Amino acid sequence: MKHPTHRQPACRPNRLCAGIATSLARLLLVPATLAIAAPAALAQSAPDEKPTNLDRITVTGSNIPRVTTETASPVQVITRQEIDRTGKATIAEYLQTLTSDGAGSIPKSFGTGFAGGGSGISLRGLGAASTLVLLNGRRMAPYGLADDGQKVFTDLSVIPMDAVERVEVLKDGASAIYGSDAIAGVVNIILRSDFTGAIAKASYGMSGDSDGNARRGSLTAGIGSLAEDGFNAFISLDVSKTDGIRISDRRNRKWIGNGDLSPYGYDRVAGGQNFPLNGAITAGGTVAGNSPVGSIRDPLTGLYQSLPGCAQFSRITPADPGGGCLWETQDFRSLSPSEEFGNLFARGTFALSDSFELYGEFGYSKKKTEFYNTPSGVSGSWGYPGGPVNASSGSGATVLGAGHPDNPLGANARLRYAAFDVGPRITRNTNEFTRFLVGMKGTLGAWDIDTAYLHSATQLVNERTGFLRYSHVRTALSDPNSPVGWWRLGANAGLNSQALYDYISPTIRANATTSLDMIDFKASRTLTDLRGGPLGLAFGAEYRRQKAQLDPQTYTDIGDIIGLGYSAYRGTQKVTDAYVEMVAPVLPSLELSGAFRVDKYEGGDTATTPKLGVKWTPAEWIALRATYAEGFRAPGAAEAGDGGLAAFSTARDPVRCPGGTPAPGATAADCAVNLAIITSANPNLKPEKSKSYTAGLVLDPTSTTTLTFDAWQIKRTNEINQGDTDQALAAGRGVRSDNDLPGIPNSGSLLAVSVDYINSAQTTVRGFDFDIRQRVPLGNYGRLVADLQWTRINSFKRDDGAGAVYEYAGTHGNCDVTNCIGTPKDRVNLGLTWDMDRFSVSAIANYIGSIDNVAFKGDSCANHFTDGSDAPDGCKLPSFYSIDLSGRWRVTDAFEVFGSVQNLTDRIAPLDPLTYGAVNYNPLHYSGAIGRYYTLGAKYTFN
């Protein structure tokens, strides 16, 4: 075992170095041949003439400093001013507005997901795990809770907003430079490298409904000049507290805060949407939802009837014609969680000599979130490593005992009950993140050298209340000898003791830890002058050890928490890698680049990833560029380590809803089943692999106009997915209820299915990015800057490996990934900023295109109105836009006031009946659910 701080010599002869040297020689054969075949391309220098050295910068996607930010790869550089003008409170909220973000993005509003409390970005819609997030060019320890219980990702909320200097988004594959995970691209968040003086800032935010109050404060202070004092040290502290918002607080926003969608043409209680009114008795009395008074099934007739007392709990009119007791999800669930966090970042730089400096960074973040959900039911299905649990039918069904004082039937009766008396299910996450970096960089001869040791870690506690323990619930409802007596229901719940509630609803928790230890070394230099500029070389090596462990939520390892999936994993990744990169400006108009990397996983595979780039500048105002890159993502701890997953997803029952149409005796609910999927880890998984291509142009037609256009394609193969549910059902690995369709055995309502993680599908996504920036001098009236970013997804195809190909572009799919937010073809951001003297005003328009409400292109509509027609109108979710306005006034050289209004026109998010990531709206349209939001603040700079 290698110690994480141990490093072998960079050029020690071994198979790894030899493989790199051979492969690099092949990779750079083309530029080398060009250089040899065209001797005029080489500057004819005197023997003692040295290569030219100019002021250079390093751009994300390359380790070779250069004099221009435009490379062969498309890189979006986002300045601090561009972030500030949006009024976004966190870097996560800002990045999720980028046009390149897509399906699989993890918003803070998805508190019911496995990764609740975290925030992640998903470039190109390929998932947060395929987007590599860097802080100052280096990795961070991943979030403690894996996305969908499967894929680890970087939590953006641990990054201190006020310390951010800029963000660079590399929009092509970069595994040849950065290693695993950089399939869809890289987001490099760059913090201040030095600071002198002090800045204090405070702000207060509030929605137009006078809630969601956000209090923020920050202080940045630094001393020392590296040039004059030989050192610089600074610290940045950022604290915030934001109140939560309940969905019921938005009853004034049409469908956002209301569960009864019948005014908009939907069925009130079943099948029309993912979150109908609850508690109804449907299907002629054979099906009942969870009710605040309880519905029981007569064992003689097989029909449900409601227990008395509904008027005490329900204000919904008209009442359920089936006799149920109706209630709304919106009465309990959070729209936005409450948050408290503090972020600290400190950096020191010390001159060791004229050519070397020592630097160190320390970061600490603590964040608390609280998310409310509906009260638990007492039935349902879920899973654990031992298999599925069926509490709805059969021997495991939760019943109201024959002797229970609330049971009028005198016989054991299946029960559907929403535990209003227990209260909402509440999830509280407390996450602590630490990061320590110490390094040295400088110049040794002709070489620029940088080496560092990094330690990063997270500790997360996930605590939940309001959940019910299955075995104790069954005891309290059916056993006359219950140690805490009968659990009285509905109107009689006031007779229950606190001891009973402690017995059936204990506080449960899970602990997660991750860590990353890494030591790296890199060196770069210019070798000689070519006709187009210096020939650049960089090489480096890295060793990292990453650990991840999630202990299962209390009692979920034995399947004893009603409706709560199981997730646990433990694994360690040890990786040794080395890379080399060259940039060859062989002509004044032609630059060639290449990189090659080898990653060796201890006890696993060896990944080799190349990258090639070319940039041609036939005239000063135009440049053409293209890249080819290969990438990979190694299986994570949750996929290939020790552990497993039991989660929920939405699926179509192939028996009860063949072809998207309910079979006789079935309902529309069978076409969108809330299915428990039990997945086992697979240590034999292979890495996901990718090939990406970009081709584009950069235009500077005038000194004030810049335009870029880049077409791109990413093909990801060997994808790690849960096994096919249809195949698992056909193999007898499913669990169904006993309400079989007439004449069809084993056709009851689908409850659960067991699968494994497998390498199966492949995805190919194609599109283009368009970016234009125009600066307009206004003389005495300042300057106007306009910019537009447009991302278009032309195709998003997924081959499931079994012969079926699904097209998701412009549809609501793929709903197997986080949130089920869909894949809109178009996303556009339009910005306008006017600066004049001490004033600055900005307006930002964010546009998200429409999507067809189908699971994939060519499929039947996912939802329907009561009259059977496609829903929403035309089976299409309309496009959505919001406008954000911000302004700044520098009152004096030291004092500045600022403010913003998000969703200036107070647009309401379109009704989305399919997504499970939010209630009645799409998470992409989050600002349209919150409504207009105001922020006012001030900043003071101390000299």
Side-chain angles (χ1 to χ4, degrees), residues 144-145 458 460 511-515 547-551 568-571 637:
L145 302 177
T458 65
L460 183 142
N511 296 305
T513 58
T514 68
S515 66
K547 295 181 178 180
Q549 178 171 336
L550 171 64
D551 298 328
Y569 46 81
R570 181 176 63 253

Side-chain angles (χ1 to χ4, degrees), residues 544-568:
R544 69 178 185 271
R545 179 183 62 186
Q546 181 170 297
K547 295 181 178 180
Q549 178 171 336
L550 171 64
D551 298 328
Q553 197 81 225
T554 314
Y555 305 124
T556 59
D557 55 335
I558 56 175
D560 207 26
I561 298 297
I562 293 175
L564 184 59
Y566 168 87
S567 180

